Amino acid sequence: MASPEQDLAPALDKDGVRLTVDDALATVTLTNPAKRNAQSPALWRALAEAGRLLPGSVRVVVLRGEGKSFSAGLDRQMFTPEGIPGEPTFIDLARRDDAGIDATIAEYQEAFTWWRRTDIVSIAAVQGHAIGAGFQLALGCDLRVVADDVQFAMRETSLGLVPDLTGTHPLVGLVGYARALEICVTGRFVGAEEAVSSGLASLAVPAGELDGAVRDLAAAIMAAPRDAVVETKALLRGALDRTYEEQRSAERAAQARRLRDLAGLGE
């Protein structure tokens, strides 16, 4: 798959993560196709840094993976007794008290949370395998466009663990509790057709058309006024936590702000 940002100077390029910015469009690319973009704490720190480096001009962030797989999940070396040099092993982590475990996982989760900021819209372009941490990273984005060869799977439960990289909340919101439970506890693959029909993905296209489809979606988002997109995203993000009457009130308040801004009467 050709890189859409290959002619741009990267703002970040380390530990399997590259960030490029083209005015209002940023692209975050996982750059270790030889290991199917396997994830490690270093990669998570680089992803979190990419979020902090986004300039204020960015409206849409595309997340993609080089090679045949979006991300096949955790680096298998993390499951070995020796782990990854310089990083805590699972045994090291288990020996910490609850506060220590909580703090470490919270740090890892930072790589998965900034994609839902209200000032941007994030799109995951997903091909091939998106397993475990790879699935959860795709779930961290607002939208997912998938290739027809996509294979989502949540394998943590099969390994005696739980999904802990922020994927459970969006998964339940997208496909419902019963299907989310079944996907997680069986560890089965979810293909492109089911991903679209269940609401997990917005669109499925042939693998060779994935980058183009994502660029078209990004362009359509950027064609709308930025402030209206930001307000709409915030309105929809909060809808499930509000009552019907609270949502009605939130709509009125948001529209009042938009009307004042359009009339040049904003604060």
Side-chain angles (χ1 to χ4, degrees):
M1 187 183 300
S3 171
E5 81 281 19
Q6 57 189 357
D7 296 327
L8 299 171
L12 176 76
D13 194 356
K14 68 178 185 180
D15 297 322
V17 175
R18 181 171 62 242
L19 166 67
T20 57
V21 179
D22 185 6
D23 193 19
L25 177 65
T27 303
V28 177
T29 304
L30 307 181
T31 60
N32 192 1
K35 296 189 73 170
R36 296 194 298 168
N37 297 313
Q39 297 184 32
S40 67
L43 179 139
W44 295 333
R45 288 191 290 270
L47 284 174
E49 184 177 351
R52 293 191 294 270
L53 288 174
L54 288 182
S57 61
V58 171
R59 296 186 56 190
V60 175
V61 181
V62 172
L63 170 64
R64 59 188 300 278
E66 290 184 344
K68 295 182 177 180
S69 293
F70 174 76
S71 174
L74 295 180
D75 188 323
R76 291 183 179 275
Q77 196 170 347
M78 293 180 69
F79 294 99
T80 63
E82 61 274 11
I84 296 174
E87 306 289 356
T89 66
F90 283 156
I91 294 175
D92 293 333
L93 191 57
R95 287 174 175 158
R96 298 178 181 178
D97 59 18
D98 287 350
I101 294 173
D102 184 272
T104 301
I105 296 175
E107 179 185 351
Y108 295 163
Q109 288 175 333
E110 291 179 9
F112 297 76
T113 56
W114 63 265
W115 308 91
R116 291 179 175 267
R117 283 168 27 186
T118 54
D119 61 321
I120 60 171
V121 175
S122 54
I123 307 169
V126 189
Q127 81 283 1
H129 291 102
I131 298 173
F135 192 3
Q136 293 187 78
L137 186 56
L139 286 166
C141 292
D142 296 309
L143 304 170
R144 282 149 297 283
V145 177
V146 300
D148 54 10
D149 66 349
V150 74
Q151 293 284 293
F152 290 111
M154 200 73 83
R155 292 292 174 80
E156 286 83 351
T157 308
S158 305
L159 297 170
L161 303 169
V162 299
D164 65 342
L165 297 172
T166 78
T168 57
H169 188 279
L171 182 61
V172 172
L174 289 165
V175 306
Y177 160 74
R179 188 177 298 213
L181 176 64
E182 181 260 329
I183 287 171
C184 289
V185 300
T186 65
R188 70 173 177 84
F189 285 116
V190 177
E193 183 177 353
E194 181 182 355
V196 173
S197 65
S198 67
L200 186 58
S202 302
L203 177 69
V205 297
E209 300 175 15
L210 182 59
D211 281 337
V214 171
R215 284 196 296 271
D216 288 346
L217 177 57
I221 293 168
M222 291 186 292
R226 178 172 194 158
D227 290 344
V229 173
V230 170
E231 289 275 14
T232 299
K233 178 175 177 178
L235 194 62
L236 294 174
R237 283 287 315 277
L240 293 179
D241 296 324
R242 301 188 188 104
T243 65
Y244 179 72
E245 290 302 324
E246 288 170 342
Q247 186 69 4
R248 288 181 63 202
S249 177
E251 289 176 358
R252 295 193 298 271
Q255 195 70 304
R257 288 191 293 272
R258 296 305 313 126
L259 289 170
R260 292 192 185 101
D261 284 346
L262 290 173
L265 301 174
E267 296 180 356

